[in-house]
Structures are given as structure tokens and as C-alpha cells.
Amino acid sequence: MKKIKLGTSDLEVGEISLGCMRMNELSEKDAAYVIENAMDHGVDLFDHADIYGGGKSEEVFANAISANDDLRERMKLQTKCGIRKGFFDFSKDHILESVDGSLSRLKTDYVDTLLLHRPDALFEPEEVAEAFSRLKESGKVRHFGVSNQNPMQMELLKKYLKEDLIINQLQLSIVHTPMIDAGFNVNMQNDPAVVRDSNILEYCRLNDVTIQAWSPFQHGMIEGPFVGNDAFPEVNAKLQELAEKYNVTDSTIAIAWILRHPANIQPVVGTMNTERLKDITRASDMELTREEWYELYRAAGNKLP
């Protein structure tokens, strides 16, 4: 698998990562098989969060790799914090407690990246900066990022940070493209022209922040997959057409569409199916043409001006 560099850091990882939200549903034996399969196919960044499975996903992951002493040093672990039951919390105390909890569940001394999960309207950037500095100095966290934040939220945080923000995790799929739509519809009086994210795509490219695309197979937030969904006939027909052309699966093409963008976006795929993950990773070995990328974009219901 091709490698990408995460933001301004020295971390090099496979350009596709594995989201571990559903790992709590697996036995430790099955989880070990999923992890080993991922590593065999070049996936070496594993995305966690303190809330996934109520913490059990991190525990299952750690127990699954415990028999392999050198595996931890060959992978990159990422976790997120800030979402609590009914509210968001970027307070210093919660960040520090959350990281300690994740480290304990993951049975590791450090995580490679920590992301702030969903913006907290009540956050005080000085507190976050203090928490980050303590985590960095203690060696518990090596790099930092955010999730679902716009440029001004990031700029406010960066004003107080000593550390770079190297990642912003944002929703992106062929059928969820607001960060792309507005760029096609500049100064137009139509719905796609509405800038909903303060030009986060361009901001991240200008500031060397890696975008990680979450839910790359989903429509809406929790509505379910669009791949193979009869409610999306045009885009699925185009996915199938291109899958047959390249002798891959429709899921491979859906990820290849994201990888074709020049921003070096890293998809976070959440499948626990080893064969599907193997198929998905084939997207790293192919490149859609410019025309095919636009055909898929239009097949998802988008109109070019």
C-alpha cells in the first residue's frame, strides 16, 4: 500500500486506515485475525475513541494483539476524546483522564495521535493547550489533531498550542461532499454554493493538515451505507461499471474516488470483514481518471455549473 505522511509530523502510514468502532462486537480471536489481515495489506493506523463500545473496543483490540510483542511498534494507534453522555467536554481534566483511560484499555504507554472528538462550544483553548503540553511532555501522546472542526475553531486552538494539529477527521463519501460542492459553485445562488464548513478542505491543504475521511461508505450520519443501496441507483450503477472495468469491487472504487483527490485524504474504513478490507485496500494500487472521478460525483446527484 502507498504511504502518506500525516500532516507536518514524521509519521508515515498506509493511506487507508482501519476504524475500530465495531471491534467490541468481535471475539479476541476474531479481532486478532482482523488486525493481522489489515497489517498484511498495509493498513497500519488503527483509529479508536474512548466512547467506542463504551471503551470495550480498545480493550478487545489490546487483548487481541497482546500475544505479539513487536506488533505495537509496527502500528500507529490513534484515539479520540471529548464526547460524553449528552454533552461535549474539552476540559483539561477530562482530556487527561480520557487519555489515561485509553492507555490503560489499550495496554500501551502512548498513542501516536490524539484527536478532539466533535467541537465543544464551552472549550477554553488555554486549558486544551495545557493538557496537550502535559501529555506531550509525559510521552503519553506524540501528536495531536481534531475531528469535525472548521478553520476558525482550529485557528483559535492553534493560537495557544505549542504542538501542530496534524489531522482533521471529517465526514466524506461520494454521496456526502459539502466540502467539495461549494468550490464548484462560487458566487452562485443555489444550495451547493452554501459554504457549510468555512472552506475546510482548502484550509487543511494550505496548512498541511491531513484530512481523514470518516464514513466513506455512508450516507447521512447514521442512515447506513449507500454502496449496494437501491436508494442510490445511479451511483451504484457507475460503481459497478468501474468495478468491472478495473476488476475490483464497488467498495474499492468508492475508496479510490477519495484517494484520487490531490489532498492526500486518508479514508477511515470501519469494516471488520477481512475479505472486504482486502478488497478495499486494492484502491491504493489504482487511480481513477479525472473523467471517472467526475462521473461518480455527478452520479451521486451533483450537478456541475
Side-chain angles (χ1 to χ4, degrees):
M1 181 184 293
K2 294 175 185 173
K3 296 280 188 176
I4 62 169
K5 190 176 177 182
L6 292 180
T8 57
S9 76
D10 58 357
L11 294 178
E12 287 194 354
V13 296
E15 63 178 349
I16 298 169
S17 60
L18 184 67
C20 299
M21 184 173 70
R22 298 183 182 89
M23 194 156 281
N24 65 300
E25 301 170 2
L26 304 182
S27 68
E28 291 175 10
K29 180 180 178 180
D30 287 344
Y33 184 57
V34 168
I35 296 164
E36 290 167 7
N37 175 72
M39 296 286 288
D40 287 344
H41 291 93
V43 176
D44 56 2
L45 187 149
F46 296 88
D47 176 69
H48 295 272
D50 57 356
I51 63 167
Y52 289 169
K56 188 179 177 183
S57 291
E58 291 178 327
E59 291 178 353
V60 171
F61 183 93
N63 292 334
I65 68 171
S66 61
N68 194 330
D69 293 335
D70 71 330
L71 198 56
R72 171 65 185 95
E73 296 308 313
R74 293 193 289 114
M75 62 173 54
K76 302 294 183 291
L77 294 185
Q78 173 172 290
T79 195
K80 302 184 288 293
C81 70
I83 298 179
R84 304 186 71 174
K85 190 173 183 179
F87 65 105
F88 303 133
D89 189 351
F90 288 178
S91 66
K92 179 183 70 174
D93 288 345
H94 178 67
I95 292 171
L96 296 175
E97 290 170 5
S98 177
V99 170
D100 283 342
S102 286
L103 293 178
S104 176
R105 290 187 293 272
L106 288 167
K107 298 181 180 179
T108 185
D109 295 328
Y110 70 97
V111 290
D112 296 277
T113 48
L114 171 71
L115 309 187
L116 297 177
H117 211 171
R118 289 281 169 197
D120 173 16
L122 303 182
F123 95 107
E124 299 179 42
E126 300 94 332
E127 269 201 71
V128 175
E130 186 177 347
F132 280 12
S133 291
R134 287 179 59 175
L135 291 168
K136 180 80 170 182
E137 291 165 4
S138 66
K140 293 179 180 180
V141 178
R142 297 190 171 177
H143 302 279
F144 300 89
V146 296
S147 182
N148 309 297
Q149 291 201 14
N150 66 37
M152 288 300 101
Q153 290 168 326
M154 295 178 71
E155 282 295 310
L156 177 58
L157 186 53
K158 284 168 61 178
K159 178 180 178 180
Y160 299 91
L161 291 181
K162 297 177 183 177
E163 301 81 13
D164 287 344
L165 295 174
I166 67 168
I167 291 167
N168 193 354
Q169 199 171 97
L170 299 156
Q171 186 176 9
L172 176 67
S173 73
I174 298 173
V175 301
H176 183 91
T177 56
M179 73 172 71
I180 295 172
D181 301 339
F184 285 127
N185 294 273
V186 175
N187 198 36
M188 298 185 68
Q189 292 182 321
N190 56 15
D191 185 68
V194 177
V195 179
R196 293 177 166 84
D197 57 14
S198 303
N199 302 109
I200 190 63
L201 176 60
E202 291 79 8
Y203 173 88
C204 287
R205 294 184 73 181
L206 283 167
N207 289 275
D208 297 318
V209 175
T210 296
I211 292 175
Q212 292 180 333
W214 60 267
S215 288
F217 301 112
Q218 302 290 313
H219 68 99
M221 279 193 64
I222 57 174
E223 282 82 350
F226 69 87
V227 177
N229 187 333
D230 291 341
F232 299 88
E234 292 186 19
V235 73
N236 276 290
K238 181 55 66 174
L239 286 170
Q240 283 292 320
E241 176 187 325
L242 293 172
E244 291 174 8
K245 174 183 175 180
Y246 287 100
N247 193 30
V248 294
T249 67
D250 47 5
S251 294
T252 312
I253 299 297
I255 295 300
W257 184 86
I258 294 174
L259 295 179
R260 179 62 177 83
H261 196 281
N264 288 325
I265 298 169
Q266 184 185 46
V268 181
V269 301
T271 182
M272 296 289 106
N273 182 307
T274 54
E275 285 303 310
R276 188 170 185 231
L277 183 60
K278 179 180 177 181
D279 289 336
I280 289 168
T281 60
R282 294 182 66 189
S284 184
D285 300 321
M286 59 174 292
E287 183 173 306
L288 296 175
T289 68
R290 185 179 297 262
E291 183 178 7
E292 289 165 347
W293 188 92
Y294 277 98
E295 286 174 348
L296 281 165
Y297 180 77
R298 297 198 316 274
N302 299 299
K303 295 181 179 180
L304 297 177

